[in-house]
Amino acid sequence: MATFLVVLTLLAILVGAEDGLKVKITILENAIAEGAVCLDGSPPAYYLDKGFDSGLPNWIIMLDGGGWCSTIIECQNRSTSKIGSSTEMDKHSTFTGVLHNTPQQNPDFYNWNRVRVGYCDGSSFTGDVQEVDPENKLFYRGARIFKAVMEDLWIKGMQNAKNVRSIIYYTTPTIHYYTFQ
């Protein structure tokens, strides 16, 4: 019975993965000049699948979570992982659920501009420490990351947004609604 459950679980994962939409990473190399960098000093990154038809003026933005690192050692460990360095992030993200582009999987937002922002700052997009400690060489610049990503999305069409929904994804997504008039 246990073997059957393991096989059934693996099958469900594989079938779900095939249904996902693969979206290529966008690395913001130019954000480094503004000091918007991950814990390790690499540039921030996000994944964008552009909207279409009536969804063009609408945006849904998912901010990846990962919790805060609470010690220097924890932040150093993160700086060599995908939650501390864009060089370690997946080159493609699988968009499923609220980020998918079909009405069958995502009836409310399938044709909106759908964005997933990579988490790599260790402080939930809030840090803005100018100085870098020469001993640990960690950057705490999450607020700058958020600003750089939003500015890049603004140029790519968010300046014409009628609706923006943001999702902060930790273990349970929380959706925030914004309507522009």
Side-chain angles (χ1 to χ4, degrees):
M1 183 65 163
T3 304
F4 174 74
L5 291 175
V6 169
V7 169
L8 190 59
T9 302
L10 289 173
L11 183 60
I13 290 169
L14 290 173
V15 169
E18 288 178 11
D19 291 342
L21 170 69
K22 297 284 188 197
V23 177
K24 186 178 178 195
I25 196 168
T26 298
I27 305 237
L28 295 178
E29 297 284 350
N30 61 342
I32 293 174
E34 301 298 319
V37 293
C38 298
L39 282 170
D40 70 337
S42 62
Y46 67 87
Y47 307 86
L48 165 65
D49 190 44
K50 294 213 174 205
F52 55 94
D53 297 336
S54 64
L56 278 174
N58 304 307
W59 292 74
I60 187 158
I61 301 168
M62 184 174 88
L63 300 173
D64 279 354
W68 288 41
C69 50
S70 55
T71 67
I72 298 292
I73 291 170
E74 189 179 338
C75 288
Q76 284 175 319
N77 289 338
R78 281 179 183 224
S79 72
T80 60
S81 74
K82 68 181 180 178
I83 58 172
S85 173
S86 64
T87 62
E88 299 299 322
M89 289 180 188
D90 297 327
K91 300 308 173 213
H92 290 85
S93 176
T94 303
F95 279 20
T96 59
V98 74
L99 294 180
H100 204 275
N101 67 344
T102 64
Q104 295 78 16
Q105 286 199 28
N106 183 9
D108 296 319
F109 308 112
Y110 72 95
N111 64 347
W112 287 32
N113 295 285
R114 287 156 288 100
V115 181
R116 177 179 162 219
V117 181
Y119 178 66
C120 65
D121 71 292
S123 65
S124 302
F125 301 100
T126 62
D128 191 14
V129 177
Q130 179 62 33
E131 301 302 317
V132 177
D133 186 330
E135 288 182 35
N136 61 46
K137 295 184 177 50
L138 293 173
F139 296 81
Y140 301 100
R141 308 263 180 88
R144 294 182 195 192
I145 290 171
F146 182 81
K147 183 178 184 240
V149 170
M150 292 304 118
E151 286 175 350
D152 198 60
L153 294 174
W154 188 262
I155 292 167
K156 291 181 177 172
M158 203 166 69
Q159 79 273 17
N160 299 316
K162 298 244 188 286
N163 295 289
V164 177
R165 307 284 193 263
S166 68
I167 304 170
I168 301 170
Y169 194 82
Y170 294 101
T171 31
T172 307
T174 304
I175 300 178
H176 302 273
Y177 298 94
Y178 306 96
T179 302
F180 298 96
Q181 300 190 10

